[in-house]
Amino acid sequence: MDKRTFYISTPIYYPSDKLHIGHAYCTTIADAIARYRRLADYDVFFLTGSDEHGQKIQRKAAENGVTPLAYVDRIVASFKLLWEKLAISNDDFIRTTEQRHREVVQTIFQKIYDQGDIYKAEYSGWYCTPCETFWLERQLADGKCPDCGRAVELLKEESYFFRMSKYQDRLLAYIEENPDFIQPTSRRNEMINFIKSGLEDLCVSRTTFDWGIPVPFDTKHVVYVWFDALTNYITAAGFLHDRSKFSKYWPADIHLVGKEIVRFHSIIWPIILMALGIELPKQVYGHGWLVIEGDKMSKSKGNVVDPLGLIEEFGADAIRYFLLREIMLGSDGNFSRDALINRINADLANDLGNLLHRTLTMVNRFNGGVVAAPKEKAPADDNIIRLAQETAAAYEQAMEKNEINAALKEIWTFIGRANKYIDETGPWALAKDPAKKDRLDTVLYTLVEALRIVAILISPFMPQTSPRIWQQLGLGETLTGIRLNDAQRWGLFPAGTKVAVPEAIFPRIEEKEAPGAAEPEAPSVAPAAAASVLPEISIEDFAKIDLRTAKIVAAEKVEKADKLLKLRVDLGFEERTIVSGIALHYKPEELIGKEIVVIANLKPAKIRGLESQGMLLAASSGEKLTLVSGEGLPPGSKVK
Ligand code: MSP
């Protein structure tokens, strides 16, 4: 049987400038969806490219004293380099300056003209060159472009017009009959209102510059850049040059686009297709914007984030993970370096990295690196097995709806549970007792099997990490041939496999304080005067203090108390609340996942009305304070 097909596209980006992290966000989402579908055994066609014509590019090239083609060639090379560094798995990269595309645009323009849906008239109105958009006087916002807020120019030129108005009712009916065509629903509603307010015929040619595809029957005109650009989706699918490919992949399953260009994709593009008698794409999905500290990225604000620098510093998978995990598809999301580092440290280094490291260390130490078959069972194992299956199922359901961050959340809940399983089963204790060898074998098997499943499930999101885990598990260099159903079945890890010596997949990032950062206020803990050591105590006295490692699982500010944080810590055997005076030294979010040392048998105390059930250890000197680390040990380990 032929495989199910799946066609996903990104917008084609303007090569007017280098791409920023917002563009990388869009392509990363598309890549994760494409990789997921390949994992689910679809035959995938994943397209990206560059939108190279138009007035904006022509002006940019002139400013730089080069031809438009020379200008875009250089920038398009930088796009391709970025996609390679970000591990983007596109099957094709379309450039609108290619001959194959020019032929398609001219063919369809001619066809629509021949059938009477394109006519000549005079255009008189406004134009936003950065957005390459025509506006009517009444649509402007305070005389500016209603989309980007920049200045518009008055145009008065002979143009060809596309009879969009003729298709208004058909389009509206189509959108109403196909609730999934425009997603999310908020965008769908916007589009319905826009269409209901009345569609004007669209100006689809320009004469005042020449960087575009000539209108075939009137070459002093070039085709309007959006008409040209949208057509890329059928060019690359083989509309004119490979009919069998076209009938295989068209209609596209998802055109993934930013929210501000949903209008072009769900109004102009479907009407072009209707005029041509071609089926409409199944879905136009408008994702939200990536903003910097709540602010739009722009050169003038100087807040443009270069994705290449970040990839260089943190690796592609960490950036991909952050973008996919932190932002809900469809909503705007914030990018900040602090949030990125927190995610790397908490989710990648701590949760995932530790699970792999602890597991492989134990297999190496207790079993000479060889994974033995599972033997003696206990209810805790069933728990993990059930959760593994539930996770794989919930993951599939979420990914079928493109709910990427929900899918990631499921995986991380499972990782958290597997880490807890280590603490509960205590393999290091089992290893001390030869009578418990069968139980130890089962525990270690359960853990490597859990990691095998995790490696498969994360592969669409972290395509470089997944094979590294695979290789450390001793399963080979790549996951070639592995499919989603391999993650849905428990027990496929081959017993007898020799694992590798673990290597950290995500080292913790320790950020030095940025120069010029605000001076901390006076410390909340008085520095101990080095010379005045307290009176001597006996070892028995010291033994009365029950010091334990613990992991911070939640942290928040205490209202109206500048110095206090309310922490939730995991002691392995239970969770507790600790109120601590460290708010001037640590932000709540950077504490999550930190492994610390606490006094577990301190009498509870009420602080600002909150019960603090213990105290954490911190060392301080002058204005500096640092938490005593219990890193790398399971919560609840004794500190002696
Ligand atoms: N060339 C047109 C698209 C033609 S598709 C037939 C275009 N190009 S663009 O380079 O300006 O933008 C491409 C995409 O990048 C858009 O979907 C846009 O939403 C997205 N983004 C630009 N800045 C962004 C963020 N800050 N955050 C997320 N996406 C952003 O429009």
Side-chain angles (χ1 to χ4, degrees):
M1 203 184 78
D2 282 348
K3 279 188 178 185
R4 295 170 297 178
T5 60
F6 192 84
Y7 175 9
I8 180 166
S9 63
T10 72
I12 49 174
Y13 301 94
Y14 289 128
S16 46
D17 223 324
K18 281 194 316 189
L19 296 178
H20 57 57
I21 191 76
H23 304 114
Y25 169 60
C26 177
T27 304
T28 301
I29 300 166
D31 186 66
I33 296 174
R35 285 179 184 271
Y36 163 76
R37 294 285 171 167
R38 290 192 196 106
L39 186 68
D41 212 27
Y42 284 77
D43 175 344
V44 171
F45 181 55
F46 169 27
L47 177 68
T48 188
S50 47
D51 183 359
E52 305 188 6
H53 292 125
Q55 192 160 13
K56 172 161 65 177
I57 302 277
Q58 182 156 3
R59 280 189 187 159
K60 271 276 192 176
E63 279 165 25
N64 283 269
V66 291
T67 64
L69 192 59
Y71 183 78
V72 295
D73 273 350
R74 197 173 43 87
I75 296 191
V76 169
S78 78
F79 288 9
K80 291 185 173 172
L81 177 74
L82 172 61
W83 301 148
E84 190 189 315
K85 298 262 181 207
L86 198 57
I88 301 301
S89 64
N90 52 301
D91 297 293
D92 195 356
F93 185 103
I94 185 162
R95 298 184 57 174
T96 52
T97 47
E98 287 171 67
Q99 183 60 19
R100 58 170 172 163
H101 182 63
R102 183 189 175 103
E103 286 169 15
V104 175
V105 172
Q106 291 190 326
T107 304
I108 67 168
F109 203 93
Q110 181 81 52
K111 182 171 188 301
I112 299 175
Y113 176 71
D114 290 346
Q115 72 194 35
D117 282 343
I118 286 178
Y119 61 92
K120 192 146 86 175
E122 187 173 69
Y123 179 76
S124 169
W126 298 92
Y127 195 75
C128 172
T129 305
C131 296
E132 301 280 16
T133 309
F134 297 97
W135 295 110
L136 299 170
E137 178 89 35
R138 64 173 159 84
Q139 293 172 314
L140 300 179
D142 293 333
K144 301 269 169 58
C145 169
D147 271 1
C148 73
R150 282 177 280 204
V152 287
E153 299 164 52
L154 188 60
L155 295 188
K156 201 171 168 54
E157 59 189 61
E158 178 196 273
S159 296
Y160 285 95
F161 281 78
F162 178 35
R163 265 183 233 287
M164 300 246 297
S165 52
K166 174 177 154 189
Y167 292 90
Q168 168 170 334
D169 295 341
R170 265 177 70 186
L171 178 62
L172 202 54
Y174 185 87
I175 294 173
E176 276 165 358
E177 281 157 25
N178 295 275
D180 288 338
F181 176 55
I182 306 171
Q183 281 296 316
T185 314
S186 54
R187 303 275 157 239
R188 177 171 186 268
N189 295 338
E190 262 173 39
M191 291 306 116
I192 292 176
N193 290 337
F194 190 90
I195 300 166
K196 281 187 174 159
S197 74
L199 291 185
E200 306 280 336
D201 289 349
L202 176 71
C203 181
V204 285
S205 78
R206 299 285 313 271
T207 52
T208 45
F209 64 93
D210 62 3
W211 181 236
I213 298 175
V215 168
F217 47 85
D218 189 351
T219 50
K220 85 172 187 289
H221 290 254
V222 290
V223 173
Y224 170 44
V225 65
W226 269 101
F227 188 100
D228 163 351
L230 290 161
T231 306
N232 92 85
Y233 300 125
I234 57 171
T235 302
F239 174 64
L240 211 53
H241 303 98
D242 188 345
R243 288 309 287 190
S244 74
K245 178 175 179 181
F246 190 67
S247 55
K248 180 169 163 192
Y249 291 115
W250 193 263
D253 291 84
I254 304 182
H255 290 319
L256 182 72
V257 301
K259 61 182 183 183
E260 87 289 11
I261 60 170
V262 169
R263 193 161 50 87
F264 298 88
H265 285 80
S266 58
I267 299 178
I268 303 178
W269 181 225
I271 293 183
I272 295 175
L273 293 169
M274 279 177 175
L276 293 168
I278 300 175
E279 244 185 290
L280 304 197
K282 291 183 201 153
Q283 186 169 83
V284 173
Y285 196 107
H287 66 73
W289 275 50
L290 201 63
V291 293
I292 308 294
E293 312 291 354
D295 220 359
K296 211 168 156 179
M297 240 179 289
S298 85
K299 264 195 163 168
S300 55
K301 288 187 197 131
N303 64 353
V304 176
V305 177
D306 171 19
L308 272 177
L310 288 176
I311 297 169
E312 209 56 47
E313 191 175 357
F314 300 105
D317 277 7
I319 307 303
R320 292 173 60 108
Y321 176 78
F322 175 82
L323 294 174
L324 297 170
R325 175 72 196 257
E326 193 86 1
I327 302 139
M328 276 259 294
L329 194 59
S331 315
D332 287 352
N334 207 44
F335 176 86
S336 83
R337 192 183 163 84
D338 281 357
L340 169 67
I341 291 174
N342 282 338
R343 280 282 176 203
I344 295 175
N345 284 346
D347 299 6
L348 303 182
N350 213 43
D351 295 344
L352 176 60
N354 273 351
L355 179 63
L356 180 70
H357 203 271
R358 290 164 85 190
T359 301
L360 296 187
T361 302
M362 292 188 295
V363 176
N364 277 297
R365 195 173 295 163
F366 305 148
N367 266 359
V370 176
V371 177
K375 297 182 185 73
E376 188 189 323
K377 288 214 161 24
D381 317 334
D382 293 335
N383 221 307
I384 292 280
I385 297 170
R386 196 170 344 103
L387 189 62
Q389 280 158 352
E390 285 167 8
T391 302
Y395 164 95
E396 185 177 6
Q397 267 177 26
M399 287 308 292
E400 292 291 321
K401 291 186 275 175
N402 304 316
E403 289 172 357
I404 299 176
N405 55 2
L408 279 166
K409 249 186 224 156
E410 296 289 345
I411 305 173
W412 256 258
T413 303
F414 179 61
I415 292 172
R417 186 68 196 83
N419 268 318
K420 222 174 177 150
Y421 173 83
I422 302 184
D423 306 336
E424 285 165 5
T425 53
W428 49 90
L430 298 174
K432 284 192 189 132
D433 183 350
K436 296 195 170 136
K437 175 77 172 77
D438 281 359
R439 181 72 198 123
L440 177 66
D441 284 349
T442 307
V443 169
L444 295 182
Y445 184 89
T446 305
L447 288 167
V448 291
E449 175 61 351
L451 278 160
R452 181 190 69 84
I453 290 170
V454 167
I456 298 173
L457 297 182
I458 64 169
S459 64
F461 317 123
M462 301 205 278
Q464 296 176 340
T465 304
S466 193
R468 289 182 69 200
I469 298 178
W470 206 249
Q471 180 264 324
Q472 292 197 30
L473 289 173
L475 295 172
E477 293 299 314
T478 67
L479 282 80
T480 315
I482 298 295
R483 293 285 172 268
L484 183 58
N485 56 22
D486 294 305
Q488 289 166 334
R489 281 173 53 203
W490 183 266
L492 297 185
F493 194 98
T497 301
K498 181 145 173 55
V499 302
V501 173
E503 271 173 52
I505 45 172
F506 288 102
R508 278 186 77 80
I509 315 285
E510 300 297 346
E511 275 274 270
K512 288 180 207 74
E513 209 166 291
E519 284 293 312
E521 286 180 35
S524 55
V525 181
S532 57
V533 168
L534 295 172
E536 195 175 276
I537 59 166
S538 69
I539 186 81
E540 289 75 27
D541 287 336
F542 176 70
K544 287 187 197 151
I545 305 173
D546 194 350
L547 295 172
R548 298 291 184 119
T549 58
K551 183 166 162 178
I552 303 180
V553 292
E556 60 184 87
K557 292 207 156 118
V558 175
E559 253 183 75
K560 298 194 199 102
D562 292 350
K563 294 180 184 165
L564 294 182
L565 289 183
K566 181 178 155 199
L567 310 173
R568 196 76 193 147
V569 299
D570 180 2
L571 279 153
F573 47 90
E574 66 181 41
E575 279 193 6
R576 296 215 190 149
T577 298
I578 292 183
V579 180
S580 177
I582 56 170
L584 299 177
H585 304 274
Y586 290 94
K587 293 200 198 89
E589 61 277 18
E590 75 191 46
L591 287 169
I592 314 281
K594 265 211 187 311
E595 292 164 324
I596 54 166
V597 176
V598 303
I599 307 177
N601 62 337
L602 192 70
K603 193 169 159 195
K606 270 250 161 42
I607 304 175
R608 295 276 176 136
L610 299 166
E611 184 176 79
S612 182
Q613 302 150 331
M615 191 171 116
L616 53 78
L617 296 194
S620 67
S621 168
E623 290 172 345
K624 280 203 167 140
L625 177 140
T626 182
L627 295 176
V628 173
S629 163
E631 207 176 301
L633 288 170
S637 305
K638 266 207 148 304
V639 180
K640 294 183 274 208

